[in-house]
Amino acid sequence: MNTNIPMTPGNPIRPQQEDIFEYIAVIMRRWKTFVLAFLAVFIVVVLYTFMMKPIYEASATLHVKEEKGKGGLLGELALKTSNPVNAELEILKSRTNAEQVVKRLHLNWQVSKKSDGLTFRIIEFSSTAKDPVYDIRLNGDGVFKVKDSDGTLVGQGKPGVLIKGKDLTLLLSDLKGEKGDKFTLTLLPFDQVVAGLRSGIKAIEVGRMTSVIQASYRCTDPVFARDVVNTLIQSYLEQNISFKAEEANRTVNFVEEQIQGLRKELDNSEKDLQVYKSSTGVVSLDNAARELIQKISEMEKVRADVTFQKKQIEFALDALKSSMRKGTIYSPAIMRDDPLVASMASKLSELEVQKKALLNDYTENHPAVRTVQGQIEEIQRKIRSTYETNLNNLTKQQSNVTNELSLYEKRMRTLPEAERDLARLTRVSSVNAGIYTFLLQKHEEARIAKASTISNIDIIDQAIAPTNPVKPKKAQNLLLGLLFGCMLGIGLVFFQEYLDDTIKDAEEAKRVMGLPLLGVIPHINGRDPRQNVTIPKEETLITQSEPKSPVAEAFRALRTNLHFSAINKQKKIMLFTSTFPGEGKSIITANEAIVLSQTGARVLVVDCDLRRSSLHKKFGHSKTPGLSEILTGDVTFEKAKHNSGIPGLDLVTAGTTPPNPSELLGSEAMRQFLLTQREKYDYILIDAPPVLAVTDAPVLATISDIVILIMEAGRVPVKAAQNMRETLATLQASVAGLIINDKTGKGESYGYYGSRYYRYGRRYGYGYYSENELKTNGKKELWEKFIPEKLRKRFKKLFKVLR
């Protein structure tokens, strides 16, 4: 069994479409709020976008290479590092690099209030003053004066000549300008300038695991942005190289110190040997002595080599301990020929790669990262232990070599005295020469290694002066302004709708008041209650001027509903009232009187709104004489009665405004007047004042057959309507029902003229009359005046589809 209900035109169950119409109706009803909010946001965005000074971004691209072991002495003493890209990013944005940029570009030198045409260069500028602000003015002939912020003369000078004052050091060059030209020179706080520069520097890794870094800086001056980035990159590279050459510098310095001391010893030993040979005449040794000297020289070289190896390991251990204290990953490259050290170094590199990969997804405190870090520290401790063991072995080897040299010394003491002295001098000279040659070789290796130190950072693209600004993004800003303007407008519209507690449609009016709906009066073209103008008679009495219009049809429907309301009660005297003034009760009373008279009935319209009468204007008669004169006995009814010009319809105007309208309307004279006239007329329609404004309407309600409440859509609050209902209920007035009046045209914006039944009736009954009969004196609707015909057709099709 198919339970789906097809959405056919005849199917009344269409909640989704009704909701759409309600939302659209809310926006259309409060279109002014929507437009104002939208324009406010959009105009602000437009002004911001087109008045904002363009911002340019200069960027440079770097590549961080993986470091590999280096050969030679540097490879033995240097530290193998594999810093993750994240570490390089932080180094690039470090305070040290930012300080170098500020110093090299003199960013803490601020020039302001410079005269047009004045040019100069600042070579040197420093100040220890509390307020380092100086005004510099040209006096002619290339002479300028310098005054501080208090106007005190600090000094004067010429371009190219250094000025040294109490708190100021200044050197200008290429100063060109006219006499009287000036500028202000300020020394900004260095730390604040550095902090501001660091906040504007951005460095990111391009992609993931690419080891490519992009450094950028934004500024309104494209050339300045380029200079900042290039200076930052240059400082970063220099810092990187200085870090990597640190161990090589230590090695070179150590070797140079050893060579410097040994050179003097070698010179002295050679001089002593020559003097001894000249004085004694002994110039050569026998074979046994020469062989002993050769062995001693070789052992001295071995001892020097062992000492040098000890120094290598000591350097490596110092660097390893330092890295372990800092928590960084460093693996000394010395002893890589040892299988155990080589395997541990390989494992350390693998763990380093694992940690780098984990840091892309986790923090340092993540359990997985901490586990890998623990393994790294364990291997580093093993490497440290291995190096310490090797250092102890070298110490023992050095001791053994020293002991063996002691034995050779004893053998030398057994030589003859003359030969022994020559052997001693020869040995010293030979040993010093051998060690000196060894150190020279190592020094050259260290010097070459130092010179060959290069950075593991490559510059892929240097920064160039950008031509197109990155801000403002005009198209994006305008689109966002459009979207946010619409969002704010819609939000404010529905917020206003939420705060609005007025009765907006017939369904709500029936629910709140508990009364039947007698009719819905659509908007009458030409009425404008917000403007204090006189409306022509033919535009208010529309049932006479346009009897076949939809509005006139609505009054005829009201006439029918009045006929069938309260069937068991008399309906000769009908009181028309409202909650507040200006809800259109007088127009409805006048038009309803006309449609009643068109049935052949005799109708009397009485204007009982003695304070703000208006019926005399609508029918084109004078206000006096009227009801006031009748009730006071000044004139008779026949003299006060006005001929409306419509067959069967008479009019009694309000007359002179009395000082006591309520007492006059509640008097016995008023009761007798109505009793007398009800015998002469089929219907008496009373235009009464509003219920909540004055007490006139409640007084008249007691002497009327039925009371008809008129309510303007979207104006009467719920509480006010309930108060009116309670007031009439207290008087036990016979209330026939409600009339919803779309006086201002808001009813159509609620999705229908107060009721969906009227909307359907209007749509299906519109074609009953001919087109000529439906024309309203050739007048166009407001939207037809301003919207082109093609666009109107598209809107009609859209609303047809939505319906």
Side-chain angles (χ1 to χ4, degrees):
M1 179 178 179
N2 186 8
T3 59
N4 295 328
I5 301 176
M7 299 301 291
T8 60
N11 187 4
I13 305 175
R14 299 168 19 147
Q16 293 182 351
Q17 292 188 14
E18 291 296 334
D19 290 342
I20 293 174
F21 270 109
E22 289 178 5
Y23 295 147
I24 295 176
V26 170
I27 297 174
M28 293 180 65
R29 181 168 63 253
R30 304 187 183 275
W31 66 271
K32 291 183 179 179
T33 301
F34 174 82
V35 170
L36 288 176
F38 171 78
L39 289 179
V41 173
F42 192 70
I43 290 174
V44 169
V45 171
V46 170
L47 292 177
Y48 169 80
T49 300
F50 289 96
M51 296 181 66
M52 177 183 180
K53 196 171 183 180
I55 297 177
Y56 299 87
E57 182 181 66
S59 60
T61 308
L62 309 175
H63 178 231
V64 182
K65 297 182 296 185
E66 291 286 343
E67 278 196 325
K68 298 181 180 179
K70 302 177 180 66
L73 180 64
L74 183 61
E76 295 176 349
L77 298 179
L79 303 177
K80 176 176 174 60
T81 64
S82 296
N83 288 337
V85 175
N86 290 338
E88 296 297 335
L89 292 175
E90 295 303 320
I91 294 173
L92 179 60
K93 297 184 294 183
S94 65
R95 179 179 55 82
T96 302
N97 287 329
E99 287 178 352
Q100 290 298 319
V101 174
V102 173
K103 291 177 181 178
R104 296 181 185 184
L105 297 180
H106 308 300
L107 301 185
N108 57 330
W109 298 355
Q110 184 185 63
V111 177
S112 60
K113 301 178 182 179
K114 186 172 72 72
S115 300
D116 296 336
L118 179 63
T119 59
F120 55 89
R121 287 180 57 203
I122 304 174
I123 306 301
E124 185 175 350
F125 173 46
S126 62
S127 175
T128 58
K130 186 177 181 180
D131 188 14
V133 180
Y134 300 94
D135 293 326
I136 301 173
R137 181 186 296 271
L138 272 67
N139 292 336
D141 298 332
V143 179
F144 60 88
K145 289 185 178 181
V146 182
K147 295 182 179 180
D148 59 15
S149 57
D150 296 330
T152 305
L153 181 64
V154 178
Q156 62 180 6
K158 293 184 177 182
V161 179
L162 183 65
I163 298 177
K164 284 191 176 182
K166 180 181 178 182
D167 300 319
L168 172 68
T169 300
L170 178 64
L171 177 59
L172 301 179
S173 67
D174 302 333
L175 182 62
K176 296 180 181 180
E178 301 294 333
K179 182 179 179 180
D181 288 347
K182 63 178 181 178
F183 66 93
T184 300
L185 184 59
T186 305
L187 184 64
L188 301 176
F190 185 79
D191 293 337
Q192 293 184 10
V193 176
V194 171
L197 180 65
R198 290 187 66 192
S199 64
I201 294 174
K202 292 184 179 180
I204 60 172
E205 183 179 10
V206 181
R208 184 175 180 182
M209 304 296 291
T210 60
S211 297
V212 177
I213 296 176
Q214 184 184 63
S216 61
Y217 183 77
R218 292 184 176 184
C219 182
T220 55
D221 184 357
V223 177
F224 177 75
R226 177 202 63 189
D227 294 342
V228 167
V229 174
N230 287 335
T231 306
L232 176 68
I233 296 303
Q234 187 62 34
S235 175
Y236 169 61
L237 292 178
E238 292 175 0
Q239 185 189 53
N240 184 269
I241 293 175
S242 66
F243 285 164
K244 297 184 182 305
E246 181 180 357
E247 291 297 326
N249 286 332
R250 293 174 61 186
T251 303
V252 171
N253 294 335
F254 169 74
V255 175
E256 286 179 350
E257 291 175 0
Q258 298 298 318
I259 289 176
Q260 203 169 29
L262 189 60
R263 183 180 292 117
K264 294 181 180 179
E265 294 181 6
L266 179 60
D267 292 340
N268 293 333
S269 63
E270 288 179 349
K271 288 180 181 179
D272 293 341
L273 180 61
Q274 293 297 328
V275 170
Y276 180 80
K277 287 181 179 181
S278 300
S279 61
T280 60
V282 180
V283 294
S284 64
L285 298 170
D286 58 12
N287 291 334
R290 284 198 300 269
E291 184 178 352
L292 182 60
I293 295 298
Q294 181 67 29
K295 289 182 179 179
I296 291 175
S297 298
E298 291 176 357
M299 291 305 296
E300 287 286 355
K301 289 181 182 180
V302 171
R303 184 166 67 175
D305 188 38
V306 171
T307 302
F308 198 77
Q309 290 183 33
K310 283 183 62 178
K311 185 61 65 176
Q312 289 179 336
I313 294 180
E314 288 174 358
F315 287 165
L317 277 173
D318 289 342
L320 182 59
K321 291 177 181 178
S322 177
S323 66
M324 292 178 69
R325 286 194 301 269
K326 296 178 181 178
T328 55
I329 304 175
Y330 286 104
S331 174
I334 193 173
M335 293 179 60
R336 285 299 180 89
D337 54 345
D338 186 293
L340 179 60
V341 175
S343 63
M344 287 190 294
S346 176
K347 181 62 176 177
L348 191 62
S349 299
E350 294 177 2
L351 292 174
E352 182 182 354
V353 173
Q354 292 181 20
K355 181 180 179 182
K356 183 193 293 188
L358 289 173
L359 287 175
N360 290 326
D361 300 322
Y362 308 112
T363 62
E364 292 280 355
N365 295 325
H366 192 273
V369 178
R370 296 178 66 179
T371 301
V372 174
Q373 181 63 31
Q375 296 176 2
I376 291 173
E377 293 174 356
E378 179 64 25
I379 292 178
Q380 286 181 330
R381 282 193 293 268
K382 290 181 179 180
I383 294 176
R384 174 183 172 181
S385 177
T386 302
Y387 283 169
E388 289 176 347
T389 301
N390 191 265
L391 182 62
N392 294 332
N393 294 335
L394 288 174
T395 303
K396 293 179 181 179
Q397 184 179 353
Q398 186 180 32
S399 178
N400 294 334
V401 172
T402 302
N403 293 334
E404 193 169 348
L405 282 173
S406 298
L407 295 176
Y408 288 142
E409 291 286 347
K410 291 180 180 180
R411 289 178 59 185
M412 283 188 63
R413 286 195 290 268
T414 61
L415 296 175
E417 183 178 354
E419 202 173 82
R420 185 174 61 245
D421 293 336
L422 179 60
R424 179 180 58 81
L425 294 173
T426 303
R427 169 217 168 191
V428 172
S429 178
S430 177
V431 169
N432 287 341
I435 295 176
Y436 184 74
T437 303
F438 172 77
L439 291 177
L440 285 178
Q441 180 183 357
K442 293 300 181 181
H443 179 267
E444 187 64 19
E445 291 178 4
R447 189 186 64 79
I448 294 174
K450 178 182 177 182
S452 63
T453 301
I454 59 175
S455 173
N456 66 322
I457 309 296
D458 289 337
I459 300 178
I460 300 176
D461 293 319
Q462 283 194 335
I464 60 174
T467 56
N468 297 322
V470 294
K471 285 185 178 181
K473 297 179 180 179
K474 296 182 179 179
Q476 178 180 327
N477 289 358
L478 295 179
L479 179 60
L480 291 176
L482 186 68
L483 293 177
F484 282 110
C486 291
M487 292 172 60
L488 179 63
I490 292 174
L492 289 178
V493 162
F494 282 97
F495 181 69
Q496 277 190 330
E497 185 70 13
Y498 171 76
L499 297 178
D500 186 5
D501 64 341
T502 59
I503 297 175
K504 303 175 183 64
D505 53 52
E507 300 296 335
E508 185 177 5
K510 291 193 295 182
R511 183 177 65 254
V512 171
M513 301 295 291
L515 297 173
L517 178 67
L518 297 177
V520 178
I521 307 301
H523 176 61
I524 300 175
N525 293 332
R527 285 194 298 173
D528 191 352
R530 304 294 181 256
Q531 297 181 5
N532 188 18
V533 296
T534 301
I535 302 175
K537 173 183 175 181
E538 61 272 11
E539 292 186 3
T540 58
L541 303 180
I542 193 170
T543 52
Q544 182 186 17
S545 59
E546 301 178 25
K548 296 183 178 180
S549 66
V551 179
E553 189 64 32
F555 280 104
R556 282 191 283 272
L558 174 61
R559 180 186 61 190
T560 302
N561 292 335
L562 285 174
H563 176 71
F564 288 102
S565 66
I567 297 178
N568 297 327
K569 295 183 179 180
Q570 292 185 348
K571 295 182 284 295
K572 277 199 170 186
I573 303 178
M574 293 182 286
L575 176 71
F576 289 80
T577 185
S578 61
T579 309
F580 300 121
E583 292 190 59
K585 58 179 179 56
S586 298
I587 292 180
I588 292 177
T589 303
N591 282 280
E592 188 60 25
I594 293 174
V595 296
L596 287 174
S597 66
Q598 290 174 350
T599 62
R602 297 190 62 195
V603 181
L604 174 65
V605 181
V606 182
D607 190 351
C608 290
D609 193 350
L610 303 182
R611 291 176 175 85
R612 297 181 58 183
S613 59
S614 61
L615 280 180
H616 63 281
K617 296 180 181 179
K618 292 174 175 54
F619 284 95
H621 291 282
S622 62
K623 183 180 179 181
T624 57
L627 181 62
S628 299
E629 285 75 12
I630 294 176
L631 297 181
T632 56
D634 294 340
V635 295
T636 61
F637 169 75
E638 295 299 329
K639 292 183 178 180
K641 180 181 66 174
H642 297 276
N643 185 5
S644 65
I646 301 172
L649 178 60
D650 293 331
L651 170 67
V652 175
T653 60
T656 304
T657 303
N660 54 347
S662 298
E663 289 77 3
L664 195 60
L665 294 175
S667 63
E668 183 63 25
M670 181 66 183
R671 178 181 295 275
Q672 293 299 324
F673 167 73
L674 292 177
L675 291 176
T676 302
Q677 302 306 321
R678 73 180 298 159
E679 301 298 330
K680 301 178 181 179
Y681 293 93
D682 298 319
Y683 298 103
I684 299 176
L685 275 63
I686 300 176
D687 180 14
V691 175
L692 299 184
V694 291
T695 60
D696 300 3
V699 170
L700 294 172
T702 58
I703 57 177
S704 302
D705 293 336
I706 60 173
V707 178
I708 301 166
L709 302 181
I710 298 172
M711 189 173 295
E712 181 183 350
R715 183 183 176 190
V716 181
V718 172
K719 291 184 178 180
Q722 292 175 342
N723 191 10
M724 175 182 66
R725 181 72 179 91
E726 292 173 0
T727 300
L728 296 176
T730 302
L731 299 174
Q732 296 182 349
S734 177
V735 181
L738 292 168
I739 298 176
I740 300 298
N741 182 26
D742 184 19
K743 181 180 180 181
T744 61
K746 290 182 179 180
E748 191 169 4
S749 66
Y750 290 115
Y752 45 90
Y753 284 105
S755 171
R756 61 167 166 247
Y757 308 114
Y758 178 79
R759 183 183 70 202
Y760 295 151
R762 185 188 185 196
R763 181 173 60 183
Y764 294 123
Y766 186 81
Y768 183 79
Y769 298 102
S770 64
E771 292 184 359
N772 293 331
E773 291 173 332
L774 288 175
K775 287 183 179 179
T776 58
N777 297 330
K779 296 182 180 179
K780 294 184 177 181
E781 298 286 346
L782 181 64
W783 76 304
E784 293 179 352
K785 296 180 181 179
F786 298 102
I787 301 178
E789 183 178 358
K790 291 183 178 180
L791 189 59
R792 293 202 307 270
K793 290 182 178 179
R794 292 182 180 179
F795 274 120
K796 288 180 180 179
K797 290 181 180 179
L798 175 62
F799 285 119
K800 185 177 181 180
V801 171
L802 291 175
R803 287 179 177 179

